[in-house]
Amino acid sequence: MQKAITLCLVSLALFGLGNANDVTKIPTAEELCSLLPGATILRPNTCTNWIRCPTTPDAGDMEEGSCVNGLYFNKDMGQCVYKDEMVCPYEHTPAPAKEQRCNARNEGSFLADEENCSGYIYCKNGAEVKANCPAHMVFHPDKLECVYASQYTCPEPKQKEEESKANPICLSLPNDVYFADQEDCTKYSHCLEGRLTSHACDEEQAWDHLKGLCVPVADVVCLPTAKKPEPENRVCANGDAVIVGPVSDGVSCSGYYFCKKTTDGSRDRKPDHYSCTNGQFFDNNTLSCRDRLNVKCAFDRCEGTDNKYVNVAGNCRAYAMCSNGKTNDKGACPDDYFFDERTQGCTRRMISYAACSA
């Protein structure tokens, strides 16, 4: 991974990641340079031509060169070497066509089915007729008969041809490099031995395209095209304890989240948010929406009001003047007087609403 970090100190924006696993599309030199600015790469479909990518879009044109006769460009070393010392990723021999197994010589024969260990092939009139052994039995390729599974160990299934093909993105780039996803900051891709794989960071982490690794969401530097994920909502946990049910949203008097029960017993990471209506506040003690004067709230009690006076938390003599749902100014009744939010005035009658009690 350390090598990957070194190679990824620059932006690695993976173009068209949705089609990144398309092994038929040959990327252009410009597309490859967008993945690895400043790197020296192998030009697609060649063994001798190399390209030095500009470090930034405004750093000038790509520099191109070609190895002298008898040398190939080694994309991992970044230099030309003798051709007999390496294998060019674009130099290969097409696989021979699969031999027709049910020829005249094999007429009436039983053959192993390479794609199904429990099955076999019967050759009839030059055609392959596939069949399966009875339950709990497999086909023995040497005995050419069905045997119990304990009598023959099936080989590991062969990798499908499409899965074994090298991705054209990885053919020209140095081996073992990591790419930032162009749209999703929590994902990244990896080129290794010509194969491209996609990965995702752990929960509460995202891929930092400058550092080339997963970091906490709060510290991540995403690609400009990738949306930065919001920090995970942790209201459904109190230390190590998991909360299930309604809980204050922690920023308002009327808002609350509803923490759903998860199948694995972990906290709900995406709780639904709600707000009490009709001037009511959420009461965390009774888990209900109540008359605002019966709820002790440490947040701005002007929420949901305009051009009115409200009691102030912790002091029943004090009042706050509200404007557009926020406290605009504060004051206090004279000594021996209390503020009554219901009558909007000071009174000698002792006020002890939960809203203003200490």
Side-chain angles (χ1 to χ4, degrees):
M1 184 67 176
Q2 199 63 36
K3 179 181 178 183
I5 295 173
T6 302
L7 290 171
C8 290
L9 292 180
V10 289
S11 171
L12 301 183
L14 181 59
F15 69 90
L17 190 55
N19 298 319
N21 290 310
D22 182 0
V23 295
T24 62
K25 180 182 183 299
I26 302 298
T28 65
E30 290 76 14
E31 289 172 330
L32 290 172
C33 281
S34 72
L35 305 181
L36 210 60
T40 301
I41 63 175
L42 176 66
R43 173 172 273 283
N45 281 330
T46 73
C47 293
T48 60
N49 295 1
W50 52 265
I51 297 170
R52 180 159 294 160
C53 301
T55 54
T56 59
D58 57 353
D61 298 331
M62 297 181 296
E63 179 188 357
E64 299 196 41
S66 178
C67 299
V68 298
N69 187 41
L71 302 185
Y72 278 173
F73 182 74
N74 188 312
K75 62 187 179 67
D76 300 324
M77 299 174 61
Q79 64 184 45
C80 298
V81 300
Y82 288 105
K83 62 166 57 177
D84 57 359
E85 295 178 357
M86 62 164 286
V87 176
C88 173
Y90 291 105
E91 187 178 58
H92 64 279
T93 303
K98 192 174 184 179
E99 182 183 356
Q100 176 62 34
R101 291 172 293 185
C102 285
N103 49 33
R105 184 183 60 187
N106 290 329
E107 179 66 23
S109 300
F110 291 92
L111 304 174
D113 186 345
E114 296 178 355
E115 299 177 352
N116 179 16
C117 187
S118 298
Y120 58 90
I121 296 171
Y122 176 68
C123 294
K124 182 178 181 180
N125 298 326
E128 296 184 1
V129 180
K130 292 190 175 184
N132 287 308
C133 294
H136 309 299
M137 301 188 77
V138 295
F139 187 80
H140 198 301
D142 297 327
K143 295 182 178 181
L144 299 179
E145 61 183 23
C146 293
V147 300
Y148 288 104
S150 60
Q151 296 177 278
Y152 176 69
T153 302
C154 294
E156 292 292 328
K158 292 184 178 181
Q159 191 178 30
K160 293 182 180 180
E161 183 179 356
E162 288 300 318
E163 295 177 351
S164 65
K165 289 182 179 180
N167 191 286
I169 294 174
C170 299
L171 293 180
S172 292
L173 300 181
N175 187 43
D176 199 16
V177 292
Y178 291 78
F179 304 85
D181 187 289
Q182 201 170 29
E183 297 179 354
D184 191 337
C185 193
T186 65
K187 297 180 181 178
Y188 61 97
S189 290
H190 182 207
C191 274
L192 182 66
E193 304 299 335
R195 308 290 184 264
L196 185 142
T197 55
S198 298
H199 307 272
C201 295
D202 293 337
E203 292 178 353
E204 301 184 55
Q205 291 196 327
W207 182 261
D208 191 303
H209 81 100
L210 296 179
K211 297 178 180 178
L213 47 78
C214 293
V215 301
V217 170
D219 304 326
V220 72
V221 178
C222 299
L223 285 174
T225 57
K227 182 180 179 181
K228 181 177 179 178
E230 296 181 3
E232 185 175 350
N233 195 327
R234 303 185 65 87
V235 298
C236 294
N238 184 9
D240 295 331
V242 174
I243 298 175
V244 176
V247 61
S248 170
D249 64 9
V251 295
S252 67
C253 291
S254 65
Y256 63 94
Y257 287 98
F258 192 90
C259 302
K260 298 178 290 295
K261 185 177 182 180
T262 59
T263 55
D264 60 0
S266 63
R267 72 178 185 276
D268 183 1
R269 290 178 167 82
K270 294 183 179 180
D272 296 321
H273 185 265
Y274 301 93
S275 292
C276 294
T277 58
N278 302 322
Q280 295 181 323
F281 285 169
F282 176 74
D283 183 8
N284 216 35
N285 295 320
T286 62
L287 302 180
S288 57
C289 292
R290 302 181 62 184
D291 186 311
R292 55 187 291 134
L293 287 175
N294 294 328
V295 178
K296 190 173 182 178
C297 177
F299 305 109
D300 194 340
R301 295 197 66 260
C302 280
E303 178 187 341
T305 62
D306 188 25
N307 297 324
K308 289 182 64 176
Y309 294 90
V310 297
N311 282 104
V312 175
N315 185 356
C316 289
R317 289 184 56 247
Y319 55 86
M321 184 173 68
C322 304
S323 176
N324 296 322
K326 294 183 179 180
T327 297
N328 184 42
D329 198 5
K330 288 185 178 181
C333 293
D335 292 342
D336 300 327
Y337 280 79
F338 298 89
F339 179 75
D340 188 347
E341 183 174 320
R342 293 192 191 281
T343 62
Q344 291 288 288
C346 295
T347 178
R348 284 183 176 274
R349 181 173 58 87
M350 180 177 290
I351 298 298
S352 59
Y353 299 133
C356 61
S357 61

